[in-house]
Amino acid sequence: MTGRLGSLLGFGPGSRVLDVAAGRETSAFYLVDTFGCVVTGIDLSEDNIRLAAAEAEQCGLGTSAKFQLADAEALPFAKGAFDAIVCECAFCTFPKKPAAAREFHRVLKPGGKLGLSDLTRSEESIPELEGLLSWIACIGDALRAGRYTALFEQVEFEVKCVEDHSYALVEMVQKVQGKLLGAEIAAGLKKLDLPGVDFSTAKQFAQAALKATRDGSLGYALITAAV
């Protein structure tokens, strides 16, 4: 989704972009290479920051991609420091989403833009996934797309675009199912040692996730907004 976000937000050479909860910073590198952005990536994992910084140095991107430990709910940047923010597959995990939304607004310059892509879910319980929800907070804490947009509007963002990309979630779950089947066959043939893995439960979870995505209980949305 990074390329789609970059196109919608109108990134150009020199755009100052904050990549929030960036993980191993693959999005940051893509934005630098594709759009010529100057990216600051933040994450709460020291390992992620260390590995991203090492890769940036190795690829000669040290001046265009910087990384640091930081909390999205208390960003260590000045007001109006960035032209744009991207946050992919992470906002739904933030315990204090309104605080993060306020921080996003604060560090964007006037006219600055926000691009978010994330899991969505209906308000109804999904019993087949309750066990999975206790393991994966990004599903358990996901919201309806409308609730995400309401959060941003409450802190004076102007929501520009909401796109449904649930097809991508279906594709992802189907790939997981394929990998589970391959791993189960390999383990059965003694070509792969995976002690403690309950393939039956894992396959049930994957099937329940696919069903929930197809009936609209789970989804994936892309949202853009401006200050």
Side-chain angles (χ1 to χ4, degrees):
M1 294 300 167
T2 308
R4 178 61 177 159
L5 285 175
S7 298
L8 286 173
L9 299 180
F11 290 151
S15 294
R16 299 167 300 162
V17 180
L18 177 64
D19 187 5
V20 175
R24 298 292 173 87
E25 314 295 347
T26 53
S27 294
F29 297 138
Y30 179 88
L31 293 173
V32 172
D33 289 338
T34 304
F35 298 100
C37 300
V38 178
V39 182
T40 300
I42 66 164
D43 201 88
L44 285 175
S45 166
E46 292 185 6
D47 285 342
N48 285 344
I49 294 300
R50 176 178 52 80
L51 290 169
E55 184 172 349
E57 190 67 28
Q58 183 178 359
C59 296
L61 300 177
T63 59
S64 299
K66 302 289 186 181
F67 310 103
Q68 67 183 82
L69 287 172
D71 186 343
E73 297 168 4
L75 295 170
F77 306 109
K79 182 178 180 179
F82 297 97
D83 300 307
I85 292 174
V86 295
C87 183
E88 298 185 86
C89 303
F91 190 81
C92 62
T93 68
F94 298 163
K96 299 177 181 177
K97 295 176 179 63
R102 286 192 296 271
E103 283 292 271
F104 289 0
H105 191 280
R106 181 183 65 81
V107 302
L108 282 171
K109 72 175 188 179
K113 299 176 181 179
L114 168 67
L116 174 87
S117 64
D118 222 323
L119 286 168
T120 63
R121 62 170 293 181
S122 64
E123 302 291 349
E124 295 78 21
S125 174
I126 310 174
E128 299 87 352
L129 288 175
E130 288 305 316
L132 180 61
L133 299 185
S134 67
W135 297 352
I136 306 178
C138 63
I139 296 178
D141 291 338
L143 305 175
R144 289 185 296 107
R147 289 187 61 191
Y148 288 129
T149 60
L151 279 172
F152 294 123
E153 289 172 340
Q154 286 168 8
V155 297
E156 301 185 345
F157 274 102
E158 180 184 357
V159 174
K160 296 290 189 180
C161 172
V162 180
E163 295 182 352
D164 181 10
H165 288 265
S166 298
Y167 69 88
L169 189 57
V170 171
E171 293 174 357
M172 182 187 73
V173 175
Q174 289 174 331
K175 287 179 181 178
V176 169
Q177 288 180 312
K179 289 181 179 180
L180 281 171
L181 178 60
E184 184 178 27
I185 292 172
L189 295 174
K190 308 300 183 183
K191 293 183 177 181
L192 188 64
D193 185 19
L194 295 172
V197 174
D198 185 345
F199 285 107
S200 177
T201 299
K203 288 189 294 183
Q204 289 175 9
F205 280 148
Q207 185 60 38
L210 185 60
K211 178 179 180 295
T213 303
R214 285 175 168 164
D215 68 20
S217 299
L218 286 180
Y220 198 83
L222 185 153
I223 299 168
T224 64
V227 172

